[in-house]
Amino acid sequence: MQKTPTLMSLAADLESGRTNARKLVDECLDRIADKSGEGGRAFVHVEVEAAIEAAKAMDRLREVRAAPSRFAGIPISIKDLFDIKGQVTRAGSRALDDSPPAEADAPVVSRLRRAGFILIGRTNMTEFAYSGIGINPHYGTPKSVWQREAGHVPGGSSSGAAVSVADGMAHGALGSDTGGSCRIPAAYNGIVGYKPTQQRIPREGGIPLSFTLDSFGPLGRTVECCAVLDAVLADEPVRPLQPRPVKGMRFAVPTTVALDDVDDQVAKAFERTLEKLSRLGASIERIEMPEFLDVAVINKKGGFAAAESYAWHRYLLESHGGVYDPRVSSRIVRGEAITAADYIDILQARKSMIARANARFAPYDAVVMPTSVIVPPRISDLADDHAFTKANLLSLRNCTLINMMDGCSISLPCHRHGEAPVGFMLSATGGSDRRIFELAAGVEAALHV
């Protein structure tokens, strides 16, 4: 049985001549174009000619030993949130159709290009990144890989990004994460998604949801795939990832908020994972996290997302509000009622929460919890606004806890083959990115034994 390719295995294949960039690009383009697949919904724009020409160029550079990196020629997808020179950035919306094309690549896009990654296309997303579900009424909704015939949500907001990787239409993806938008779709499609410490990766050239909470991060097939892309995005050297041994790991499981209303399938996969890690020598302690109760208070009137998105969208809503998805615009306009005093209050509340949460996290290598406490619901079941709102809040809740404290966090699959997809999330305080990758790589290896 052929193993699923990773960025490292593809780099080795390119270096040895077992494959080339043109072949990789052609294979991805074929999968995107397959009418029986999700390419038409996962992508809003496909770089057919540009990707082929870039592949030819990378193959020629490799022939003369001038490839910009060992990953040169590997196709990746870019969420429709990011500027690509010469293209209109629509962020999954129709409200920006008449905007001018971007004059330059976003820094994160530029860094990926500089490493030789090939942009295969722009992926679909929740309009303006405002949902953890992934439904988009403008461009269609790509289906999760799980029981595709039943039509389950892909997770959001980086919906097309996750599906593009899970379906082999790209070998990695650039997404964003404000309250789980890399990790939730990763969990709902059985892949890995990463939210970095916010300040490590530049946010210019991406349409904001919340200036305070936005992070830009990768989605990939393995922890190491995400570590490679994260290093490129952060303009750091790509170093071999050394998995930490599970024996001796110190994990905390928060019993406050994070395990409320957990679905039976999620609980079963999560507890089974904890039991396995414990048998292998990890120390697992269930602790109270009263700081997590602060998040609901901070978000009572819509929080940072409502206040900051309204500041960005208010003029666009006046001129093009009628073309917004009502489920998105209704959440943005809540920000109009947030006063300057309210905003100052939540800034102070967050500052206090971060200090207390960091102290609570300090004795542990990571805090672990389910990425989402529910499995991906069927798209047809969310036609009702009440059902949508409930599923959206449950999808986002655990991931949001970490964005609110500016931590770093990774989701990796922990379900068994044939089961509903479940994400196992490891999180730590801001600046612990390398440690989280090493821990997650160790956990990943243990889960595959």
Side-chain angles (χ1 to χ4, degrees):
M1 182 173 158
Q2 189 176 10
K3 288 187 176 181
T4 303
T6 67
L7 294 184
M8 284 299 192
S9 71
L10 290 170
D13 289 346
L14 286 165
E15 190 173 43
S16 68
R18 289 189 293 268
T19 192
N20 57 49
R22 178 63 192 273
K23 184 172 184 289
L24 295 179
V25 164
D26 285 346
E27 288 171 349
C28 287
L29 290 175
D30 287 346
R31 289 189 178 101
I32 294 169
D34 183 355
K35 298 297 184 185
S36 65
E38 292 297 304
R41 286 177 285 270
F43 285 84
V44 296
H45 175 73
V46 184
E47 296 274 8
V48 179
E49 293 181 7
I52 289 171
E53 291 303 315
K56 291 178 183 177
M58 291 303 161
D59 285 335
R60 179 62 185 137
L61 286 170
R62 186 165 271 107
E63 286 174 8
V64 297
R65 300 192 180 112
S69 84
R70 62 184 306 196
F71 308 103
I74 298 177
I76 60 170
S77 66
I78 306 295
K79 186 175 182 177
D80 193 34
L81 193 83
F82 300 100
D83 286 347
I84 297 174
K85 185 177 180 179
Q87 297 181 13
V88 175
T89 307
R90 292 180 172 84
S93 181
R94 291 292 185 187
L96 297 175
D97 279 351
D98 54 2
S99 299
E103 296 182 359
D105 287 341
V108 283
V109 173
S110 178
R111 290 175 178 182
L112 292 166
R113 283 199 205 264
R114 192 171 65 200
F117 286 102
I118 294 176
L119 278 52
I120 203 75
R122 305 180 73 103
T123 49
N124 196 0
M125 57 181 284
T126 305
E127 184 178 33
F128 293 119
Y130 220 141
S131 154
I133 293 294
I135 289 175
N136 187 303
H138 309 297
Y139 298 97
T141 300
K143 300 172 186 174
S144 163
V145 295
W146 180 52
Q147 295 183 347
R148 185 154 277 166
E149 68 284 355
H152 293 263
V153 302
S157 63
S158 307
S159 52
V163 173
S164 75
V165 174
D167 280 10
M169 296 182 282
H171 293 293
L174 173 63
S176 68
D177 193 308
T178 304
S181 289
C182 284
R183 290 162 290 162
I184 298 163
Y188 284 180
N189 287 278
I191 61 171
V192 181
Y194 185 62
K195 177 246 179 282
T197 305
Q198 186 189 55
Q199 295 302 322
R200 289 181 61 249
I201 295 173
R203 284 165 290 136
E204 296 81 15
I207 292 178
L209 171 55
S210 166
F211 309 104
T212 299
L213 304 177
D214 292 343
S215 296
F216 295 166
L219 297 90
R221 297 194 180 103
T222 66
V223 172
E224 189 170 44
C225 288
C226 284
V228 167
L229 291 171
D230 173 78
V232 173
L233 296 172
D235 201 22
E236 298 173 354
V238 177
R239 295 180 286 154
L241 182 61
Q242 195 66 42
R244 292 200 184 190
V246 170
K247 186 175 182 179
M249 288 184 183
R250 297 167 301 160
F251 292 142
V253 178
T255 58
T256 310
V257 178
L259 299 180
D260 293 350
D261 302 312
V262 63
D263 178 275
D264 287 344
Q265 296 173 87
V266 174
K268 183 178 179 181
F270 181 69
E271 293 297 333
R272 185 175 63 222
T273 301
L274 292 179
E275 290 170 12
K276 183 166 191 177
L277 295 175
S278 180
R279 288 198 307 271
L280 292 172
S283 169
I284 296 171
E285 184 179 349
R286 296 176 189 265
I287 66 168
E288 293 184 2
M289 280 287 297
E291 295 77 20
F292 285 173
L293 295 171
D294 294 4
V295 175
V297 178
I298 292 170
N299 287 335
K300 186 176 181 182
K301 295 183 178 180
F304 292 106
E308 294 171 355
S309 66
Y310 180 73
W312 194 91
H313 283 271
R314 62 192 189 276
Y315 301 119
L316 189 62
L317 281 167
E318 288 179 7
S319 58
H320 292 78
V323 301
Y324 277 62
D325 176 359
R327 287 173 169 172
V328 171
S329 59
S330 63
R331 298 175 74 193
I332 293 173
V333 297
R334 290 183 68 193
E336 186 176 14
I338 296 175
T339 66
D342 292 333
Y343 188 74
I344 291 169
D345 284 345
I346 63 174
L347 283 172
Q348 293 302 316
R350 184 187 188 227
K351 183 179 179 181
S352 171
M353 178 205 167
I354 290 173
R356 289 179 285 114
N358 285 355
R360 190 87 57 181
F361 275 38
Y364 307 99
D365 290 314
V367 170
V368 297
M369 52 187 138
T371 308
S372 168
V373 292
I374 60 172
V375 298
R378 291 188 303 178
I379 297 169
S380 59
D381 290 342
L382 302 185
D384 173 73
D385 283 347
H386 176 74
F388 172 87
T389 299
K390 181 179 179 182
N392 186 48
L393 291 173
L394 289 173
S395 294
L396 287 162
R397 191 193 66 208
N398 284 3
C399 290
T400 298
L401 300 172
I402 306 305
N403 290 74
M404 194 64 74
M405 60 171 287
D406 192 25
C408 53
S409 183
I410 193 165
S411 173
L412 57 153
C414 68
H415 57 283
R416 290 173 176 165
H417 180 72
E419 293 181 343
V422 175
F424 185 81
M425 184 166 66
L426 297 89
S427 307
T429 55
S432 306
D433 300 76
R434 188 66 184 180
R435 186 179 84 218
I436 281 293
F437 278 126
E438 292 170 351
L439 292 164
V443 170
E444 182 181 57
L447 294 181
H448 286 94
V449 172

